[in-house]
Amino acid sequence: MLDMVKCVPAYRREDIEATIAINLARGLPSPDYGTQRGAINICGNGPSLRERYPTSGKVAACNGAWRALHRAGVFVDYIIVHDPTPENASWFDDAPVYAQYLLASRVHPSVFDKLAGRDIRIWHCGDGPEERAVPAGPFIGIAATVGLSAMNLLAGMGFRHFDCWGLDSCYAYDGAHHATPQDWAESEPLPYQVGKRMFLASLWMVGQVQEGLKQIEANRRDYTVEIHDDGLFAEALAHNTLEVVYDLDKAPGSFDFIHAGLNIESYRREHGYTRVKVHCRRGKGKDGFRTNEPIELDHNHKQHMMNYVVRPLQKMFGFQEVDAVGEQAMEFGYSPKPVLQAFSAGTSLPTFQPSVEAELWALKEFPEPPLVITLREIFYWPQRNSNVEAWLEFAKGLQKEGRVIILRDTWKRDEPLDGFETCRDAVIDLHKRFALYRRAKMNFFVMNGPAALCHYTADVPYMTFLKDAPGYPCYDPKFLQDFIGIEPYGQFPWTSDRQRLVYADDTCENIAKAWNELQQSAGSIAA
C-alpha cells in the first residue's frame, strides 16, 4: 500500500509575493478562460514520455516535457509552468515560438524574461499570495505538482477530458525519473506496491498520486481523466476505479437511472473509489432495450431518454460512460430502497448536481427565485398526466406570489401557453432543468420522472401529487413501500419542511389547499 505523503512546496511566502509583484507589472493577458471544448492531451515530464506520447489532438506540455515531445516530432499547443523554482529557466533556452505559454504569476521572473516576445498568458494560483495580490482573480485550484495544476487550469479554459502522458510518478526501468533531465528533482526512491505491482518512487511522486486521486474525485463532475502510461499513478487510478454495468436488458433507460445512480454513488463513497465508469449494456430486445417494457415505445423515444436523461444524469453523479468494462464490473439495482434504508441507519444521502454552466444560466435567467410548475402531457399512461386545466387555474392565482414558470412535457416544448411563461431551455436540457429546480422558490409536480430530481435531495423544494391513476401499478402504496421504501402515505426520510408528497388528485382546490397548508406549517416560502 502507498504510505500517506503530503507534498509541501518549500517556498517562502515573502519570495512568492515579491515574484508575483514583478510579474504582474508586465501587464500580460490572462488565458482564454471558458473558450475551449472537448479533450486535450496533458504531457508530464515522466520517463515514459520517451516512448509513449500523443499522436493527435491538442497538446499541453508541463515544464520541460516539450523537449521530449519535440524529439518525437510532436508539436505542442500550450506549455504550462506553475512553480517558482529558478532552475525552470533552463528548459527554455531554445523554446518554440509557436506555442502559447501559460505561466503562473508565481513562476520565477527569469522564466518570463527568457520567453520575452512569445505568446505568454499569466494565470493565478488559488493560494494566499495570489489572492492578496490579485483580488479580482480568477484563481485556479493549485496542486503540489504542475501536472495536477494543469488539469484545473485547462478545465478553467473549458476542456472537459484529459488524456495524460508522462505522469508516471515512479522511476523507469533504467533508473530515469524524467524524460527531459531534471537533476534538481533527484531523490532516493523507495518501493511502493499497488495491487500486485511494485514500483520505485520518490516521496514527492507518491504524494502526487495521493493528491491526484483526491483531485480527480473532487472534480469528477467537471472533467474526466485517462492516464496512458504504465506507471504508479495510472495503476493507482485503475485500482481506485469502480466499474459498473447498467444492463438495459434488466433496467429501463429512463429517470429510473437516478435510483441506480444513488446506489452506485453510495457504494463508491462507502468503499473510497476515486471515480466510476459505467457501461450501458445493450438489451436483447428491439433496438437494444429490455424485452419486458410495460409499454410499447418507439426507438426514437427510447434513444431520446438515453441521450437526454440517462447520460446527463451520469454526468450529474460524476460517472464516466465507457464502451466496455472488465469482467469484474458490478451491477446495481434501480430500486432506491437501499439508499432509504441506509439513510435511516445514519448514512448521509448521496448527491448529484447540475453542471456549473447550468447553475450560472439559472442564476442569470432567474435573479429572483421563481415558482415552477412541471406538466406531464404524454401519450402513454395518460391517467398519470397533469390536470392541465386545474394547474393553469392555480397558476393564475400563483402569479400574485411571484414569477411563475411552466415546463411543458418534452413533446410540447415548442407549444406556448397563452398568459403563462414557459422555458424551452429547461425542458430540453436536463442540467438546466435541475438548475432551475434548485433555484426555484417551489416546484410543483404530479408524480413523474423529473420530480425525482427533487425527491432525492435534502433541500430542493417540491410538492408532488400522487393522483389516482387506475391501472397504473406504481402509485399503489404497497409498491411504493416494496420498491422505493416509503411507508404507505408517508414521506422520504430526509424530507425537509419545504418538501412534500401529496396523496391527492391534482384538482385546483387540492393544489391550493396543499400549498396553503405547506406555507402555514413551514412559514412563508418567500420569506
Side-chain angles (χ1 to χ4, degrees):
M1 298 296 294
L2 297 178
D3 296 331
M4 293 303 295
V5 176
K6 182 174 178 60
C7 292
V8 181
Y11 309 132
R12 295 196 317 157
R13 188 186 69 184
E14 295 81 1
D15 294 338
I16 293 177
E17 289 175 343
T19 293
I20 293 170
I22 293 170
N23 292 332
L24 286 178
R26 302 174 189 270
L28 295 167
S30 299
D32 296 324
Y33 291 117
T35 62
Q36 304 300 312
R37 297 291 183 271
I40 189 170
N41 297 286
I42 297 178
C43 296
N45 200 21
S48 68
L49 197 66
R50 299 173 299 180
E51 301 170 350
R52 297 187 181 192
Y53 41 80
T55 57
S56 62
K58 291 186 176 182
V59 178
C62 299
N63 292 339
W66 69 269
R67 289 186 177 276
L69 293 169
H70 268 217
R71 288 195 295 270
V74 178
F75 291 87
V76 301
D77 298 274
Y78 305 102
I79 296 177
I80 302 174
V81 187
H82 100 305
D83 66 70
T85 305
E87 289 87 350
N88 288 350
S90 65
W91 291 321
F92 302 110
D93 291 332
D94 53 351
V97 297
Y98 64 84
Q100 185 175 105
Y101 291 82
L102 305 176
L103 307 184
S105 54
R106 61 172 53 194
V107 167
H108 197 271
S110 61
V111 177
F112 283 86
D113 294 340
K114 188 165 286 190
L115 294 172
R118 290 167 174 79
D119 182 4
I120 300 176
R121 308 297 174 93
I122 191 169
W123 56 280
H124 309 293
C125 302
D127 208 354
E130 285 83 355
E131 291 173 352
R132 285 189 290 273
V134 193
F139 301 104
I140 300 300
I142 187 175
T145 64
V146 64
L148 300 180
S149 294
M151 295 180 192
N152 291 334
L153 172 61
L154 293 166
M157 294 171 62
F159 293 104
R160 290 295 176 261
H161 176 76
F162 306 127
D163 288 297
C164 298
W165 313 77
L167 291 186
D168 310 41
S169 300
C170 61
Y171 280 67
Y173 59 88
D174 60 356
H177 50 79
H178 284 86
T180 298
Q182 193 169 323
D183 294 338
W184 58 91
E186 188 89 41
S187 59
E188 185 67 27
L190 298 169
Y192 292 92
Q193 184 172 348
V194 176
K196 296 180 180 181
R197 296 187 62 191
M198 190 71 71
F199 301 87
L200 288 177
S202 300
L203 288 177
W204 74 263
M205 295 176 178
V206 175
Q208 175 174 249
V209 173
Q210 292 170 334
E211 186 174 345
L213 293 177
K214 291 179 181 178
Q215 178 175 313
I216 293 170
E217 177 184 5
N219 294 287
R220 65 192 185 280
R221 294 184 176 95
D222 300 321
Y223 55 75
T224 54
V225 178
E226 291 296 337
I227 302 178
H228 295 281
D229 55 59
D230 195 32
L232 175 60
F233 198 167
E235 185 69 16
L237 183 57
H239 200 71
N240 283 275
T241 297
L242 173 62
E243 293 191 327
V244 174
V245 171
Y246 188 69
D247 191 346
L248 292 170
D249 208 31
K250 304 174 184 176
S254 69
F255 275 97
D256 282 303
F257 184 83
I258 289 181
H259 303 150
L262 291 166
N263 292 327
I264 295 166
E265 176 62 12
S266 180
Y267 187 90
R268 182 203 70 79
R269 199 172 57 181
E270 178 184 356
H271 294 274
Y273 284 98
T274 296
R275 63 179 181 178
V276 175
K277 289 186 173 182
V278 177
H279 169 54
C280 292
R281 180 187 292 161
R282 286 176 58 85
K284 299 182 180 68
K286 182 181 178 182
D287 300 323
F289 295 91
R290 61 184 183 174
T291 57
N292 63 335
E293 290 285 359
I295 51 176
E296 279 296 325
L297 297 176
D298 63 26
H299 173 74
N300 289 338
H301 184 97
K302 293 180 181 180
Q303 200 60 53
H304 177 93
M305 293 294 283
M306 283 297 298
N307 291 336
Y308 293 95
V309 174
V310 174
R311 292 191 167 99
L313 283 171
Q314 289 178 10
K315 291 185 179 297
M316 289 184 191
F317 279 103
F319 303 161
Q320 180 180 355
E321 186 176 359
V322 294
D323 293 333
V325 288
E327 294 181 359
Q328 302 303 313
M330 300 183 66
E331 289 190 45
F332 293 82
Y334 65 96
S335 164
K337 193 172 182 178
V339 173
L340 273 74
Q341 293 172 334
F343 182 88
S344 298
T347 302
S348 61
L349 183 66
T351 60
F352 56 101
Q353 62 191 51
S355 66
V356 173
E357 292 83 0
E359 295 273 36
L360 293 174
W361 167 85
L363 189 64
K364 177 183 176 183
E365 295 294 323
F366 305 97
E368 293 296 326
L371 297 146
V372 180
I373 297 173
T374 298
L375 300 178
R376 187 185 193 276
E377 308 171 273
I378 195 64
F379 62 90
Y380 59 88
W381 300 119
Q383 62 270 48
R384 295 175 55 198
N385 281 349
S386 303
N387 182 345
V388 175
E389 183 178 342
W391 281 107
L392 296 184
E393 184 180 350
F394 171 71
K396 289 178 183 177
L398 194 63
Q399 288 175 330
K400 299 175 184 177
E401 302 182 38
R403 185 179 178 186
V404 176
I405 306 296
I406 297 181
L407 301 186
R408 304 211 66 177
D409 208 302
T410 304
W411 318 110
K412 290 182 175 287
R413 60 188 178 271
D414 294 317
E415 296 182 24
L417 285 169
D418 290 341
F420 299 99
E421 183 179 359
T422 59
C423 182
R424 185 181 189 276
D425 285 348
V427 171
I428 64 175
D429 185 322
L430 198 69
H431 284 269
K432 289 183 177 179
R433 179 190 288 269
F434 191 25
L436 174 57
Y437 289 164
R438 284 162 58 103
R439 182 70 180 151
K441 187 163 34 175
M442 178 52 66
N443 297 287
F444 299 89
F445 303 92
V446 294
M447 182 66 98
N448 64 359
L453 293 168
C454 302
H455 294 167
Y456 296 99
T457 73
D459 57 351
V460 180
Y462 67 83
M463 290 181 63
T464 300
F465 285 77
L466 284 87
K467 60 191 298 176
D468 185 30
Y472 182 68
C474 299
Y475 289 177
D476 181 81
K478 188 175 188 309
F479 175 88
L480 294 175
Q481 185 174 29
D482 293 345
F483 184 76
I484 296 181
I486 298 177
E487 293 298 319
Y489 306 102
Q491 305 290 328
F492 289 100
W494 49 79
T495 298
S496 74
D497 59 4
R498 300 195 305 154
Q499 299 176 316
R500 186 168 298 175
L501 299 176
V502 182
Y503 295 86
D505 288 342
D506 56 337
T507 65
C508 185
E509 181 181 3
N510 286 345
I511 299 168
K513 179 183 176 182
W515 174 231
N516 290 333
E517 289 177 350
L518 181 67
Q519 293 188 92
Q520 290 171 7
S521 63
S524 173
I525 300 297

